[in-house]
Amino acid sequence: MSASESLDKCITGKDGAAEVLEKCITGKVTEANALPQLLHMHRNSPRDVVAAVSEKATCVVQQADCGQVAMRAGTFLINVASFLDMQSSKELEEAAASVATNGSKKNIAVGSGAASTVSMKVSTVSKSLLEHVLLLSGGKNRAAKDKAIRAQGCTMIAALLPQVPGHRAAEEKLLEFALDRVPSIREKAVRGLTAVSGSSKAAQIALMARTTDSCTVVRASAVRALPVSASTAGTLLERIDDVEACVRGQLFMRLADQPAAVAELGPAALARLIAGLCDRISSVRAAAGQAVDAWVEHLGGDALQLLERCDLTGDEALGEAAAGALAARYPEEGARVAKLWLGRSTVEDRTGTLPDGPAPLLFARLAAAGLSEDSREDMLDASSIVKRAYAVLEASKRAGTTGMWHDFLLRQLLHVIAQADICDESLRRHVEQLAEAILSTAPLPKLNIIEMGTSAGACRVAKSAIDLAIVIVRKVCGLVRFQIPTPAHQTLEARSSARIVMLLSEISNPFETGDDDVIDGEHPFTTQLSLQIEELNQSIEKHQKAKEGLEAQKKRALAVEDYIKAHDIKEQSTKNEKSLTELKSERERVLSKRDDVCLRTLMIVQALLRWSNSDIRKDPALYGTLDQILKPMVNLPALSKEVEVAVIYAICLFCVRDGEVAKQHWALLLAILRQLKDAEINETDKQVTMDGYPMKCVIKARAAICARALADCARLHGAVLESAEIISAASALSVVPFAARQVVLEPLCGWFLSFGHMFFEEHLKEPLLEIQWALGWMLVEAFRQRRPLDDELEANQLMKSTSTSSRPEKASKQSLEKPDVGDSEAGKPLEDGDASVDLAMAARLTQFFALLPKLPGKHGAPMLSLAVESIAECGLWRKSVLLPHSSDGKTHWVRSFSWPELFTFAHERVTPELRFRLWRCSLQIGVSSPALAPLAEIPFALAAVAADAPPGAAELLQEALELGADAEAFGPLQSRLPQLPAKKKVLPPVVGVGIPMQGAEGKLLRAPVDGANAEKECRAELAELGINVEAWAPADIEVPKMMPAHHKMRLGRKRPCSALGGV
């Protein structure tokens, strides 16, 4: 054998390939020099090169714990496989091109052989390396225990899968890695599944599951990898509200990559996505801009066409945000649309033309608002806008038109008129006439009475066409919203109010009536209609009784087989039914006519009170509406509930504006709020009003309005109201039933922030149990565990079913079956079941309690301490007990709120003296309920803050153990506190800020029996105040026979070493 042959064998053999790989990995040879050598070896001996690469891959995976070195080596091997396969593909293409060029039989034969040879080499290296790495990773349903080895294998499989498409085993392995307990491995698996996400349904399902991963990086990678389609759009859109900006940004990057997928997005979802241009994070705004630009380009470069795809009327605030973002991003197109619809029209009939959708006018209005003042005045043509507004108003009166649609168009035009500069006298008169026409004939907004007491409902009402018309009337009178009060200003206010009240008199007493309406001249128009409705109600009731009587007579006639009499009764029943139908139809007509007049009048009064800066005591027209319109309207016979709620809302606005009016109506507001408790006692769930509203919803709407009014009046008119009246407002807000607790959360927060010092001073003199109770359940609401609705229902039902007062044989069955929502108030987590509102309210309550200790004065931190003590003393702490719930063959432990989170939150924000009180009430629970306290994780909560334990905590714990607390559960806590002498035990004095603490003489904790009796007494006192604590948290809960697994791990309940063979 010659020397050249020997050298060539060394270079092309397996050892030569391994040597080149080793030198490149160790850095002795650069990758640029190593790859050509390996290519030369691969051409001569492909099997040896594949064997060398696989052998080196084995070393890399085995030494995966080397960290970055192993990762770089694995990357190099993947690059080698990719390079060799790519060069083989090029050789195949060149061979195929040569065959096509030469065309000779000889070349064809040679080329065919070459092609077959190269075809064999195309995927040899990558596929062989992939299958070898799969073998090293354990294969199907098997994996290494070392997370470094799993991570290295997952990385190499994820990188090789795109080079070997359609490899089923690699895909299945990545699906397994996507469920790994290590987040970094899950993230690498998600990146690998990107290559098959478009063709594999299993990969799409796995990626959809990872979009809700607890790790931010995994969620971001899954969102970026998941293709947009009809089946995945819903999952992707859920990430628009992700708390992490990187996840939201990756969502928009994914959408920008597939602009054609805009057709898969619904109108509401598209509006929410476009509103991402207003995100608080700049990187998300930039990513959203890329997605919007891609959509606009896909739709032909027209931003208005994109906006027309959005739902702009379902959620008007969201639609306005989306339109404003597009107008700001495309100012030139916005200016063009604004000039088209709001500028001077060259065609006379153009002003009467209405757009085909809400998008053009909304886009035009927001684009005009973004212009400079000079540009806006040059572009707007107020006279054309007024004519277009008249056209919209006339269209709304025609039969078969949608009032909501035209109301939206009308409000957009009124917004523009309110912004325009009206300096011409003729134009001013036209604008004023338009405003009066709108007040008289514009369609009324359709607002559910349940929304009247909410912030969202109040905002919607304040943006109605009636409100905008009031703003325009004030504008033409020379008035603005915020103006320094002067005598001249007050004169203008009184003149403007008198003008609007005169219009009210015309609305309430119309000159023309229908043929069936009789005007006697003795009663106002609405009173006459109300009397007609009352007469019709009496007639309907009479015919209804006659119908029931005829039905009974018919049954008796049929029973005795008197068919002739039964036939006569049937004819009488038919006539009676016909008369009854006519009476109901007439009642609906008269009721609609009466309610339209009343609601229009009330909405004008409400808008006037909202926008007026007048001193109502010096404004006789405005102040006179209280005695001349509102109070008589309350006493109308057969008053519908919708009008009743609107009247109460208007009276509450008067109370907020004037302290004397509030003082006069204070008892009325308290009585309406207390009807919530009466409704719970009288069980009004199934009662329905004449209007079709559930009576319970009407009572709740009235109470919500009065609750806000009481809190606002107390804050605004504290100098006029007496302290007893201010305290009475908090007492009434505090005793609401469990199902109506959401009604009073915001008013209570406002009251405590303003009058917390007053409550604390009165509480030191005489305990105000109901207000302290309110602090407690509000704190529980702040830390309520947010779960899906079914889990929340199960948690409350478990507490009910595990109560010792229930039948034992049904307890286990009820815990497994889906509970009936109507069984009890405790089984209803939220009345309306809106999870987003629930989460937002919990966040606001957390902010409230975090702000409470920072308030000026010394009452903030003690109020937080009183809230925790209230939870412990009245039994609300039982809502934090973990209870087993079986579903899908697994046992889950559920609770309503987390005691450790609540206790840690309060412990960090109070002084050391008050911390002692928190420890005392917590340990008292451990004494009174030694079996349930560990399930509420009270020992764990105390152990978590043991480093900041107050002085005397060790003595307090020792006393609790002596009184019967669970020594095993409190063992970890005892080991973290200072050890006390065996005999000498000194109890510290009661410390605090003067809040009375009860206990046996010389003792800080009560005995178990005394503690249970104290809780019963507390519940009895609250019951006397009208609070049904049992509906919030049952007093007796059956102790589960098992212990949560994580509790066993914390307590160290493991098998002894001898059972495992020793060490």
Side-chain angles (χ1 to χ4, degrees), residues 982-1008:
K983 297 182 180 180
K984 185 177 180 181
K985 290 179 289 183
V986 181
L987 295 177
V990 178
V991 291
V993 289
I995 307 175
M997 295 181 68
Q998 299 178 355
E1001 184 177 356
K1003 295 284 187 180
L1004 293 177
L1005 298 175
R1006 297 185 178 93

Side-chain angles (χ1 to χ4, degrees), residues 93-104 107-112 115:
E93 294 176 358
E94 292 174 358
S98 176
V99 170
T101 302
N102 297 329
S104 62
N107 290 336
I108 289 175
V110 175
S112 299

Side-chain angles (χ1 to χ4, degrees), residues 365 487 511 953:
R365 173 174 77 84
F511 295 104

Side-chain angles (χ1 to χ4, degrees), residues 177-328:
F177 281 130
L179 302 176
D180 198 277
R181 62 178 181 270
V182 180
S184 61
I185 298 178
R186 298 199 301 271
E187 192 269 339
K188 293 179 178 66
V190 166
R191 288 180 179 272
L193 289 173
T194 306
V196 295
S197 59
S199 57
S200 174
K201 187 66 175 178
Q204 289 187 10
I205 295 175
L207 291 175
M208 291 170 65
R210 291 306 97 206
T211 57
T212 58
D213 197 276
S214 58
C215 179
T216 302
V217 180
V218 178
R219 292 201 308 274
S221 299
V223 169
R224 190 69 174 87
L226 191 61
V228 185
S229 63
S231 58
T232 62
T235 302
L236 284 171
L237 292 175
E238 291 178 358
R239 296 300 96 207
I240 189 63
D241 294 321
D242 198 284
V243 295
E244 297 295 337
C246 64
V247 179
R248 302 196 301 272
Q250 291 299 322
L251 169 62
F252 286 112
M253 296 297 291
R254 175 75 267 181
L255 295 172
D257 291 342
Q258 292 182 254
V262 68
E264 304 293 344
L265 304 175
L270 189 58
R272 178 67 184 87
L273 289 170
I274 295 176
L277 292 170
C278 306
D279 196 276
R280 60 185 181 274
I281 305 298
S282 59
S283 61
V284 181
R285 294 196 298 270
Q290 295 182 23
V292 171
D293 291 341
W295 291 335
V296 171
E297 183 179 357
H298 175 72
L299 296 174
D302 189 357
L304 181 59
Q305 188 176 354
L306 176 62
L307 187 63
E308 288 175 345
R309 290 172 170 263
C310 301
D311 181 12
L312 303 177
T313 57
D315 187 346
E316 293 189 10
L318 179 61
E320 188 169 334
L326 286 178

Side-chain angles (χ1 to χ4, degrees), residues 66 81 106 112 139 201 351 429 477 487 549 555 580 633 649 725 751 759 779 789 793 991 1029:
C66 294
K106 180 178 180 180
S112 299
K201 187 66 175 178
T351 56
R429 288 197 301 269
C477 292
K555 289 181 179 179
L580 183 61
M633 196 173 291
Y649 184 69
E725 292 174 326
W751 191 94
F759 155 70
L779 187 59
L789 182 62
L793 292 173
V991 291
V1029 186

